[in-house]
Amino acid sequence: MSTLTDPPKESFRLSMLIYDTRYRSATIQAVALIALMLGAAWLINNTLANLNTLGKTISLSYFTETASYDINQRLLDYDSQDTHLRAAFIGLLNTLLVAVMGCITATVVGVLVGVLRLSKNWIVAKVMTVYVEMFRNVPVLLWIVLAMAVLIESLPSPRAFRGENPEATMSLFDSVAITNRGIYIPEALFSNSLGNLSLFGESSMRFDVSLDLIAILVVLIAGFFVSSKIRQRADRIQEETGDRPVVWWQRLAVVLVPFVIVLAVLGFHLGYPELKGFNFKGGTHMRNSLIALWLALSLYTAAFIAEIVRAGILAVSHGQTEAAGALGMRSSRIMSLVVLPQALRVIIPPMISNYLNLTKNSSLAIAVGYMDITGTLGGITMNQTGRELECVVLLMAAYLVISLSISLAMNWYNNRVKLVER
Amino acid sequence: MNKSVFLGAMAFAGLAAGVASAGTLDDVKSRGTLNCGVTTGVVGFSAPNAEGVWEGFDVDVCRAVAAAVLGDSTAVEFVPTTPKTRFTALSAGEIDMLSRVTTWTLSRDADLKFTFVGVNYYDGQGFMVPKELGVSSAKELDGATVCIQTGTTTELNLADFFRTNNISYEPVPIETVAEAQQQYLAGACDVFTTDASQLASTRATFETPADHVILSDIISKEPLGPTVRHGDDEWADVVRWSYNTMVAAEELGITSANVGTMSASATDNPEINRLLGHEGNMGEMLGLDPQWAARILSAVGNYGESFERNLGGQSAIGLARGLNALWTEGGLQYSPPVR
């Protein structure tokens, strides 16, 4: 018969918090957490006390006051009588514009350079190496300033276009004016315009959406949808009969014909820039601040993306290329159908952080006078209202939201393309 | 452990509070240097010369305060600030005073919590255009591209001017005068606008100043003056009277040349005697010694001398006194009595 003995009674002593390994880590963590919170509390308390000494209170009421400054590049209507909130919103849109343009260009250039750097052609590979090393190893601010200086100093000013024998003339059949104030390109105009759809009424977040643009997009999307249906039908016929019907002209027609018709109905024509007074009028004005920032940010980030792409391609086993070659595929198809899709799995996660970097680096815009959100909310508004704390906190929140949105979208995409494992 | 962290935090907070509450005058005296906010380089007002020594009209105010408080007009740490960073630098305590072509406005006084101790230059916003454009009035600038320093009152005046005259313009925001100059000279903007005195100073640095005209339109009042934080009136008094001394001295005929003999022995003018410490205890009232004013005047001279040396006939800029003449000569410069 076995004897049952009670386990010794647990008695808890305070010293066990440190000497007992079961509790020690919890104790250390609790102490560290309390220290962290005390530190944060001290910082906040110190800030509030200092603000109090200066006689300032935290308030967001300045947002509804008149901004009274002008912004040159505005995607939505804005004048100096609008509120600071509206100015911040215009700045936010400018930030998003340069970030989106930059990310797209950087991706295209980066992938090209990354692939070309692996080229067997010695000259091409070395030129790409020089490009990558040059852009990667010089601070992006210098590239931005350099791009701006080159644009300002090397291009003709609008004055040079004037007179009987002007020093400069417009390019592309007199449709594009390249000046040191930016590039003026023809703009799309509609003589039978459907007008605008005004969202959010008269508030600071009001947003006009062109109905013409919506109509064109709807027609295009419908066209692509029908086109994909035609392709599916062709695929089905091919599966059943082995013969693929010739459908490329049908697929092209369902997209193009309605598109051309809707353009004709809306009375589409181009507005060309013309020299009037001090500046070119008409057309779309791409300011050189935008061009300089966009070029510098994209070329700089493209150098990093190129390295990521190269790493991704090298990570795909050489056996894959050889196997595809054995099946008789051409080398360009091997790259686009076999190697790149597999490389994508390695490429995408570091790509997210490069998109984030590009977006955050766009805050260097003020160096060339591009009015992004740092220039409006974190610049002029902060300076005119003296609300440093509120403006900076809001600015940080804005960038945080943009960055988290990019991460979210890219993570979703990453989950879609990643290897499905059992 | 917990307790000691807390006590440590308390002690640290107490220490920080202690530092923050001491007067700026005592801070400057114990530090031995004056931190003075200036521009990043506007010739005539504040710019380093070929030897790297800061000089200019605004710099002289810094040097006057340093001479009065520390007895050494060279004991100044010049902190270059842009229009955007100047107020943050001042309210954060990074600089003790700001002497940087800063316009006195109601909101800067009441909302940004700064004390303007006086007006050392009465200015107004003007426009500079290349002569070849043939522009004679600011109202002809419809559609022009205007280079403007961002974070300044000029930005707001410009928006108001073009809006009330119902003409359009394209603003090109610029961070520093040097960048504005580059864009303006390359023709990337048609017009450069800022305070008229700064336009003159910028034009003086051009290769061919005669090719550029400053339009006669002055679209705003820009009283520029030295600035300190709210809430330290003793320090504001020291800066205010250091500056007033320069104006009063011009009126009383004290110059850097004759201040030595005048301060050696009492004169028969009681006002000069009070200023130079022979009568009364003006220095003691400010928390300074009796020789404070004499040191200012021997270091930088009176207001007129400083103006002539930095902005007037003796400089490349060649501005006339205009509104900045003494009140006795039809201008606006006037010092309250030293009494």
Side-chain angles (χ1 to χ4, degrees):
Chain A
M1 192 180 142
S2 57
T3 47
L4 289 170
T5 46
D6 284 338
K9 234 346 198 293
E10 282 278 312
S11 68
F12 183 78
R13 293 179 311 279
L14 212 56
S15 62
M16 283 167 70
L17 282 179
I18 292 175
Y19 296 117
D20 193 320
T21 46
R22 283 173 299 172
Y23 304 123
R24 190 187 288 147
S25 75
T27 314
I28 294 173
Q29 286 180 44
V31 168
L33 183 68
I34 291 170
L36 192 71
M37 278 161 55
L38 276 176
W42 177 74
L43 277 179
I44 293 170
N45 179 46
N46 192 34
T47 309
L48 291 178
N50 278 333
L51 279 177
N52 209 17
T53 324
L54 285 171
K56 287 184 175 181
T57 49
I58 294 181
S59 134
L60 289 177
S61 59
Y62 71 89
F63 251 164
T64 54
E65 288 164 18
T66 308
S68 16
Y69 60 86
D70 284 300
I71 299 175
N72 49 10
Q73 177 179 306
R74 28 185 200 262
L75 299 179
L76 300 176
D77 69 306
Y78 167 86
D79 67 40
S80 58
Q81 293 305 291
D82 275 310
T83 60
H84 282 295
L85 182 60
R86 179 77 178 167
F89 184 50
I90 299 288
L92 177 66
L93 290 181
N94 285 345
T95 294
L96 291 177
L97 175 75
V98 78
V100 169
M101 283 168 67
C103 285
I104 294 173
T105 317
T107 310
V108 173
V109 176
V111 171
L112 265 177
V113 172
V115 172
L116 288 181
R117 210 183 154 182
L118 291 170
S119 163
K120 291 195 185 72
N121 184 325
W122 189 83
I123 292 273
V124 170
K126 288 301 161 202
V127 167
M128 293 306 146
T129 309
V130 169
Y131 162 79
V132 167
E133 296 304 337
M134 238 172 64
F135 273 85
R136 228 166 38 139
N137 295 310
V138 174
V140 65
L141 180 62
L142 296 185
W143 286 116
I144 296 174
V145 172
L146 178 74
M148 187 66 171
V150 168
L151 287 176
I152 289 177
E153 300 290 349
S154 65
L155 295 174
S157 84
R159 267 171 244 160
F161 288 79
R162 208 172 285 136
E164 287 292 305
N165 289 311
E167 296 163 43
T169 48
M170 290 167 70
S171 357
L172 281 180
F173 309 108
D174 271 2
S175 63
V176 177
I178 301 173
T179 74
N180 66 353
R181 294 178 191 174
I183 298 178
Y184 296 79
I185 52 175
E187 60 181 336
L189 294 174
F190 301 97
S191 42
N192 310 322
S193 177
L194 298 173
N196 288 331
L197 184 68
S198 296
L199 301 178
F200 307 117
E202 285 298 298
S203 72
S204 291
M205 303 308 250
R206 66 183 183 275
F207 202 107
D208 285 353
V209 184
S210 160
L211 285 175
D212 306 318
L213 187 67
I214 293 180
I216 291 170
L217 282 182
V218 166
V219 167
L220 273 182
I221 290 170
F224 281 116
F225 180 73
V226 175
S227 160
S228 78
K229 284 285 170 213
I230 295 175
R231 183 179 54 96
Q232 284 168 14
R233 187 175 143 266
D235 285 350
R236 212 177 51 237
I237 294 173
Q238 187 180 15
E239 296 240 323
E240 286 167 5
T241 65
D243 284 330
R244 190 174 180 87
V246 179
V247 289
W248 65 266
W249 58 271
Q250 294 174 355
R251 293 184 60 191
L252 201 64
V254 291
V255 176
L256 276 188
V257 171
F259 178 65
V260 171
I261 291 175
V262 78
L263 283 188
V265 168
L266 289 172
F268 172 82
H269 61 277
L270 287 175
Y272 294 103
E274 258 182 282
L275 189 59
K276 273 186 193 159
F278 291 99
N279 278 315
F280 280 90
K281 294 271 167 66
T284 302
H285 181 191
M286 281 181 70
R287 288 171 180 75
N288 53 11
S289 53
L290 170 66
I291 299 173
L293 187 65
W294 171 41
L295 272 185
L297 283 179
S298 343
L299 292 180
Y300 176 78
T301 313
F304 290 88
I305 292 181
E307 286 300 90
I308 294 170
V309 169
R310 190 168 70 105
I313 292 173
L314 290 178
V316 177
S317 143
H318 193 58
Q320 298 277 335
T321 318
E322 287 174 342
L327 289 175
M329 293 175 99
R330 274 177 282 125
S331 63
S332 64
R333 303 216 96 191
I334 295 176
M335 182 53 85
S336 65
L337 291 176
V338 177
V339 177
L340 272 184
Q342 295 189 72
L344 223 47
R345 293 179 185 134
V346 183
I347 291 171
I348 288 174
M351 203 79 137
I352 304 176
S353 70
N354 269 301
Y355 288 158
L356 295 180
N357 276 343
L358 189 145
T359 310
K360 288 178 291 176
N361 284 342
S362 76
S363 61
L364 294 169
I366 191 60
V368 287
Y370 180 77
M371 296 309 277
D372 69 336
I373 191 166
T374 314
T376 56
L377 176 65
I380 308 179
T381 292
M382 180 165 102
N383 202 269
Q384 305 293 8
T385 60
R387 300 277 170 196
E388 292 94 353
L389 188 70
E390 294 91 328
C391 284
V392 169
V393 168
L394 280 172
L395 195 60
M396 288 164 76
Y399 278 109
L400 191 65
V401 169
I402 299 174
S403 296
L404 288 180
S405 313
I406 295 175
S407 301
L408 214 62
M410 291 297 289
N411 281 332
W412 170 82
Y413 183 62
N414 189 33
N415 280 333
R416 264 193 40 160
V417 300
K418 81 174 175 203
L419 200 60
V420 183
E421 286 168 337
R422 267 182 248 268
Chain B
M1 181 179 178
N2 202 339
K3 210 179 198 173
S4 66
V5 167
F6 183 69
L7 286 178
M10 291 283 283
F12 194 36
L15 199 69
V19 168
S21 64
T24 314
L25 181 59
D26 296 333
D27 285 351
V28 173
K29 278 180 178 168
S30 64
R31 198 189 307 130
T33 55
L34 171 76
N35 292 336
C36 192
V38 290
T39 66
T40 51
V42 174
V43 174
F45 284 93
S46 44
N49 65 10
E51 283 88 48
V53 180
W54 284 86
E55 53 185 34
F57 191 59
D58 283 340
V59 165
D60 280 354
V61 178
C62 302
R63 295 205 186 278
V65 175
V69 176
L70 302 167
D72 178 6
S73 67
T74 58
V76 188
E77 185 76 48
F78 290 100
V79 181
T81 57
T82 67
K84 265 174 73 180
T85 60
R86 56 184 164 177
F87 296 131
T88 321
L90 182 59
S91 55
E94 195 186 320
I95 51 180
D96 302 311
M97 59 178 286
L98 181 70
S99 181
R100 189 208 176 282
V101 287
T102 298
T103 308
W104 186 352
T105 67
L106 187 147
S107 62
R108 285 175 179 175
D109 216 330
D111 193 31
L112 299 190
K113 313 284 181 196
F114 294 130
T115 300
F116 286 81
V117 300
V119 177
N120 69 338
Y121 193 94
Y122 288 93
D123 210 339
Q125 183 174 350
F127 298 94
M128 175 161 65
V129 291
K131 208 169 239 171
E132 55 167 326
L133 286 183
V135 174
S136 58
S137 154
K139 291 187 180 148
E140 295 167 19
L141 292 175
D142 190 12
T145 302
V146 184
C147 272
I148 178 160
Q149 254 192 304
T150 183
T152 58
T153 47
T154 49
E155 200 163 33
L156 309 181
N157 297 330
L158 189 72
D160 285 349
F161 174 78
F162 278 90
R163 187 169 52 82
T164 49
N165 286 298
N166 208 11
I167 49 181
S168 65
Y169 73 108
E170 155 102 12
V172 176
I174 308 278
E175 191 88 320
T176 66
V177 174
E179 289 167 41
Q181 191 171 323
Q182 183 202 7
Q183 297 225 12
Y184 172 77
L185 287 178
C189 43
D190 299 304
V191 189
F192 177 36
T193 180
T194 183
D195 298 343
S197 60
Q198 284 186 57
L199 288 179
S201 117
T202 308
R203 187 173 64 166
T205 64
F206 287 177
E207 263 177 50
T208 49
D211 290 350
H212 303 271
V213 280
I214 295 172
L215 300 180
S216 54
D217 307 64
I218 296 292
I219 64 166
S220 69
K221 291 193 286 190
E222 307 285 342
L224 311 176
T227 318
V228 297
R229 282 180 295 276
H230 259 193
D232 190 349
D233 290 346
E234 285 73 25
W235 176 243
D237 289 343
V238 169
V239 179
R240 178 179 296 120
W241 285 97
S242 298
Y243 166 67
N244 283 347
T245 296
M246 292 170 68
V247 180
E250 185 181 11
E251 200 181 324
L252 297 170
I254 315 175
T255 64
S256 54
N258 65 17
V259 66
T261 51
M262 283 191 181
S263 62
S265 57
T267 62
D268 49 7
N269 184 334
E271 224 171 321
I272 293 177
N273 290 347
R274 278 197 297 274
L275 193 62
L276 297 182
H278 300 302
E279 266 181 56
N281 49 356
M282 301 298 159
E284 196 186 316
M285 291 178 194
L286 288 169
L288 304 171
D289 60 323
Q291 293 303 309
W292 65 286
R295 280 197 307 269
I296 292 176
L297 297 171
S298 56
V300 298
N302 65 33
Y303 182 89
E305 288 178 87
S306 174
F307 192 102
E308 286 306 314
R309 188 170 63 238
N310 296 303
L311 300 171
Q314 294 170 24
S315 70
I317 302 165
L319 286 172
R321 284 290 287 268
L323 286 178
N324 295 296
L326 286 183
W327 65 289
T328 48
E329 287 154 27
L332 292 172
Q333 288 297 346
Y334 181 106
S335 165
V338 181
R339 184 172 284 283

